[in-house]
Amino acid sequence: MSGGAMYDDSSYEDASNGLLSLATRAAGLAGGPVTIEDDASELITYSPGQENSDDARIATILSRRVPDRYRVLLRTEHLDERLAGSSGPFYADLRGAGILPRAIMPIRAGDTAIGSIWAIVPSSPSPEQRAALEESAALLAPLLARQAERRLAADARRTAAVRALLRGGDEAVETARELPLGPGPLAVVAVRPLPSAPARASGPYDGRCDGAYDGPYVRPYDGPCAGQGGPPGGPLRRALADLDRRLVAFQPGGLSAEIDGVGYAVVPVGDEQRLLRAVGELPGAAAGVGRTVPGPGRLGRSRADAELVVRLLSRLGATRERTAHIRDVQLDALLMRTVDLAVEAGHDPLGALAELEEYDRRRGTALLDSVDRYLAAGEDARLAARQLHVHPNTLRYRLRRAQEITGLDLSDPAAAFDIRLRLRLRALRLP
């Protein structure tokens, strides 16, 4: 993928193979194979040869970033903290985790961490090796800083273009003419980290944003350039990076960006089912796919769909799939909007069941959940009692108390339907 999750050495004006040459030189001086990474553990380049290599290096090269299983190790060994706070090389003996030892050298532009050098070495680096790593970092720093500056200007243009596309209308049509956007029908995919997704550690952020117009999908960032994102390497950036790679294989010719804390991809669509399979399940994130529209002028509708789906999936959390198309969740999406309207008007969508919920909260009882399980079991008290691990008589007592508190008659089909609907609204009531 050009200009995507990997760096292209030829993008540097300084030298056609400047980064590769520096990585090879650093490996020779350090006496071991080298990888060079940015501040969010994305691979920049690496020295040739696999001598004295290990699975961590090979996996990083193949995926163009440090895999999540090794990022966890970085946190547990506090290597991310050492990188953020160090100005010189340090040694990490990781053999206990099945990884060869590394000499690690931060790359800084002033006070800002912009990358790091990882050299496989058999023991703590000698003074000569330390000096070689420091010299390599000093040579790399201006190259990476200049790349960041070039990307910053391109990022601003790209983010503005994606915003225009997502608004739809004539502005989107005009913008699409200036972009490498694939022809044919289009759809919007929205991505948002789930509330339970843990933040990933990373070094200080250097102000970079999204990529440029030099590839079908571009490595996204959820940094402050768009206003609402987290640090580089956070859940949104990682989810968008995963989505980027999948969409490139599915259909080149789209564009992605992070805007106001949500990731968006505008995707040419030939087959909606293939698109859903390509998006798949993104770790720690929900993904919503909007309707397919005939052209950029109607992308605003697809964006609204995708945002609605991702909001719905974020509310439901782990209770359902984390990726969905708008047509598959239309009813729940409509109910969620009903909940929002009720809350805005000052009404509780639970109606009389709100009293029962408050009763349970104050008394530590489970009357509302018992009603929910009873109705879900087809009003079979024995089945519901087994599922609740209580005696049928205990369940019947709970149901009577629930009816006394709310005044709702569970034997009335209309009342039972009303309760089922409000119980569904209950799952969608959280922001």
Side-chain angles (χ1 to χ4, degrees):
M1 154 172 107
S2 62
M6 62 178 287
Y7 286 81
D8 183 354
D9 297 334
S10 65
S11 67
Y12 285 89
E13 299 168 357
D14 310 271
S16 60
N17 293 304
L19 284 172
L20 178 60
S21 298
L22 283 174
T24 303
R25 183 175 183 274
L29 294 174
V34 158
T35 55
I36 299 173
E37 302 164 9
D38 71 6
D39 62 308
S41 299
E42 301 281 342
L43 181 67
I44 297 174
T45 190
Y46 59 96
S47 61
Q50 300 301 325
E51 300 82 5
N52 302 318
S53 192
D54 58 13
D55 288 342
R57 171 179 160 88
I58 294 170
T60 298
I61 292 171
L62 291 177
S63 63
R64 309 302 303 184
R65 61 172 179 165
V66 178
D68 287 345
R69 63 184 182 276
Y70 296 118
R71 286 178 60 82
V72 172
L73 180 66
L74 300 186
R75 294 195 298 275
T76 57
E77 296 291 332
H78 304 290
L79 298 183
D80 51 346
E81 297 175 9
R82 297 182 68 182
L83 268 173
S86 299
S87 58
F90 58 91
Y91 178 68
D93 189 343
L94 305 172
R95 283 173 289 196
I99 299 174
L100 294 174
R102 258 66 166 179
I104 306 169
M105 177 68 206
I107 302 172
R108 293 185 174 277
D111 294 331
T112 302
I114 59 175
S116 55
I117 303 170
W118 297 67
I120 297 179
V121 294
S123 59
S124 181
S126 66
E128 293 77 13
Q129 288 173 315
R130 292 176 61 88
L133 289 170
E134 289 173 349
E135 179 186 350
S136 298
L139 291 172
L140 282 162
L143 292 178
L144 300 189
R146 281 193 288 273
Q147 184 201 47
E149 291 172 2
R150 288 193 295 270
R151 289 175 63 189
L152 183 60
D155 290 346
R157 295 194 301 270
R158 176 173 166 271
T159 299
V162 173
R163 285 182 183 273
L165 287 174
L166 294 176
R167 284 193 288 266
D170 293 341
E171 182 183 10
V173 174
E174 290 298 320
T175 301
R177 292 194 180 109
E178 303 172 2
L179 298 172
L181 193 61
L186 301 167
V188 175
V189 180
V191 178
R192 176 187 286 180
L194 290 171
S196 59
R200 291 180 171 88
S202 66
Y205 187 59
D206 66 356
R208 292 175 292 167
C209 306
D210 297 44
Y213 301 124
D214 55 354
Y217 298 91
V218 201
R219 188 181 61 178
Y221 293 79
D222 56 339
C225 304
Q228 299 292 327
L236 179 55
R237 176 176 176 182
R238 303 292 284 188
L240 276 170
D242 286 339
L243 178 64
D244 179 32
R245 280 181 281 273
R246 298 178 189 195
L247 291 179
V248 167
F250 161 72
Q251 180 69 65
L255 203 65
S256 62
E258 185 276 328
I259 297 174
D260 299 334
V262 180
Y264 296 95
V266 178
V267 191
V269 180
D271 184 323
E272 288 183 345
Q273 290 303 316
R274 284 190 60 232
L275 172 58
L276 275 172
R277 289 195 297 271
V279 175
E281 293 285 315
L282 299 172
V289 182
R291 75 187 74 180
T292 299
V293 295
R298 299 180 67 182
L299 277 171
R301 292 186 175 221
S302 187
R303 175 193 181 172
D305 289 344
E307 289 175 338
L308 196 60
V309 175
V310 85
R311 282 182 55 221
L312 173 67
L313 297 180
S314 297
R315 286 193 183 186
L316 293 176
T319 62
R320 66 173 304 144
E321 297 83 1
R322 294 198 299 265
T323 298
H325 191 283
I326 182 61
R327 67 166 176 269
D328 298 322
V329 294
Q330 280 180 324
L331 179 58
D332 275 345
L334 178 61
L335 292 176
M336 182 179 68
R337 297 183 72 174
T338 301
V339 169
D340 292 341
L341 290 172
V343 172
E344 288 174 11
H347 302 302
D348 192 323
L350 282 186
L353 296 184
E355 299 177 39
L356 201 54
E357 187 177 58
E358 176 62 16
Y359 181 92
D360 283 337
R361 188 190 66 77
R362 288 187 287 103
R363 303 290 184 91
T365 53
L367 301 185
L368 185 55
D369 286 338
S370 296
V371 170
D372 191 358
R373 188 62 61 93
Y374 171 71
L375 294 175
E379 302 181 31
D380 185 331
R382 290 187 177 277
L383 174 60
R386 284 198 303 271
Q387 294 173 343
L388 290 167
H389 306 291
V390 299
H391 192 277
N393 288 340
T394 300
L395 176 62
R396 293 187 182 99
Y397 169 76
R398 292 179 180 178
L399 297 178
R400 286 196 301 272
R401 285 292 298 139
Q403 291 184 157
E404 291 169 1
I405 293 168
T406 63
L408 297 172
D409 183 359
L410 294 176
S411 64
D412 180 357
F417 174 79
D418 181 88
I419 294 171
R420 287 191 181 97
L421 179 59
R422 292 184 186 278
L423 286 170
R424 187 59 189 160
L425 295 177
R426 182 191 186 203
L428 303 172
R429 190 174 55 171
L430 297 175

